[in-house]
Amino acid sequence: MTTRTQRLQQAIADTGHTFQGPILGGGDYVPVVHDGDVAYVSGQVPRVGRKVVVTGRVGGSVTLAEAQQAARICAIRGLLLLQAQLGDLDRIARVLRVGVYVQSAATFTQQSEVADAASALLKTVLGDAGAHTRTSVGVYQLPKDASVEIEMTVRTRPTASGTA
C-alpha cells in the first residue's frame, strides 16, 4: 500500500520541482495555526525555494494549464507545511475547506478548473480525507504577482499519545 507521504513525493516529482529545506513564507505571519483538532494553513503561492514560479494573469500571460500547475504547487506547499506542523500526513483526518484565489484576466472565467487541479492533488495524496468544500475566486492581484494562492483548513487526529 502506498502511503500518503509516498503519494506526496510522487506529486512533487510530477511538478518537475524539488522542495528542499523549509517552506518559506513571505511576511510576518505563521504558516499554520493548529488549534484543537483544526489546522489553518495560510495562503500559499506557487513558490519553490525563493522564487514564485508562476506569475501573471490567468487568461492573459498565463494559460489554464500553467495555472493548474501553480495550484498543484500551492497545494503541495500546504501539505508540506501540515506535515512539518503535525509530524505526519496521517494526522490529517479531513480537508474541510480550500480557498483558491486566481489572478484573472477580465474575461477569464475558469477559476473552478484551476482549483480542480489542487482538489485532485489533495484527493490523490490523502484519499477520501482529501475531499473538501471549496471556494474559487477571480481576483485582480495577488502577492508577488502570483497567479494562484490557496489556503486550507483541515481537521486533525490526535497523536498516538493523545495530544492534538
Side-chain angles (χ1 to χ4, degrees), residues 35-93:
D35 185 18
D37 68 347
V38 177
Y40 303 88
V41 179
S42 296
Q44 297 300 304
V45 298
R47 184 188 319 259
V48 178
R50 297 191 180 279
K51 182 177 181 186
V52 178
V53 296
V54 184
T55 59
R57 292 196 189 289
V58 182
S61 62
V62 177
T63 67
L64 174 60
E66 291 167 329
Q68 290 170 324
Q69 176 76 335
R72 285 187 284 273
I73 292 169
C74 295
I76 286 167
R77 285 175 54 90
L79 288 172
L80 288 169
L81 287 166
L82 285 165
Q83 186 176 45
Q85 176 77 28
L86 302 173
D88 188 346
L89 290 176
D90 286 336
R91 296 232 8 243
I92 299 172

Side-chain angles (χ1 to χ4, degrees), residues 74-146:
C74 295
I76 286 167
R77 285 175 54 90
L79 288 172
L80 288 169
L81 287 166
L82 285 165
Q83 186 176 45
Q85 176 77 28
L86 302 173
D88 188 346
L89 290 176
D90 286 336
R91 296 232 8 243
I92 299 172
R94 182 73 185 252
V95 178
L96 300 173
R97 183 183 179 284
V98 175
V100 181
Y101 305 90
V102 181
Q103 184 187 170
S104 301
T107 59
F108 184 76
T109 61
Q110 293 179 290
Q111 290 82 7
S112 60
E113 286 86 343
V114 173
D116 283 344
S119 294
L121 185 138
L122 292 170
K123 287 171 58 179
T124 295
V125 172
L126 301 173
D128 290 342
H132 54 269
T133 64
R134 183 183 82 195
T135 300
S136 53
V137 179
V139 298
Y140 180 74
Q141 190 69 46
L142 288 170
K144 310 296 183 205
D145 197 31

Side-chain angles (χ1 to χ4, degrees), residues 147-159:
S147 297
V148 179
E149 183 172 4
I150 294 179
E151 62 184 5
M152 291 189 277
T153 305
V154 304
R155 185 169 37 84
T156 62
R157 292 185 179 100
T159 63

